Amino acid sequence: MRGANGPQLAFDGDPATRWESRLGQDPQWIYVDLGAQATLSRAVVKWEGAYAKSFRLETSNDESSWTPVYSNANASGGTTD
């Protein structure tokens, strides 16, 4: 999804913008390619009013094989850190 709330806004550093999934179309996902291997030590997700009730964070070195590093099956919005 591109446009006013497209994926390019998920990590743009501006707290006034966001990625918006399409209403009623589940499951949905987004990934970020850092361009090189990196160490992940922290992830912060700031949810809005329409937050995911269930989600997981995964890592990959090849965009093909994914390893779950965090999951929440009973999310309640706010900030996940």
Side-chain angles (χ1 to χ4, degrees):
M1 179 175 172
R2 295 249 178 233
N5 297 318
Q8 73 280 8
L9 301 177
F11 303 95
D12 68 351
D14 183 347
T17 62
R18 63 186 169 81
W19 168 60
E20 178 180 305
S21 60
R22 292 191 180 184
L23 181 63
Q25 293 183 7
D26 291 322
Q28 294 183 52
W29 60 280
I30 185 171
Y31 79 91
V32 177
D33 185 344
L34 300 177
Q37 190 169 349
T39 299
L40 176 66
S41 61
R42 183 179 186 194
V44 178
V45 180
K46 295 182 180 182
W47 301 98
E48 63 165 17
Y51 57 88
K53 294 179 179 144
S54 175
F55 69 97
R56 67 181 178 253
L57 302 177
E58 300 181 353
T59 61
S60 175
N61 289 326
D62 60 9
E63 298 175 23
S64 181
S65 299
W66 296 88
T67 302
V69 294
Y70 177 84
S71 65
N72 188 332
N74 194 24
S76 58
T79 298
T80 301
D81 187 352

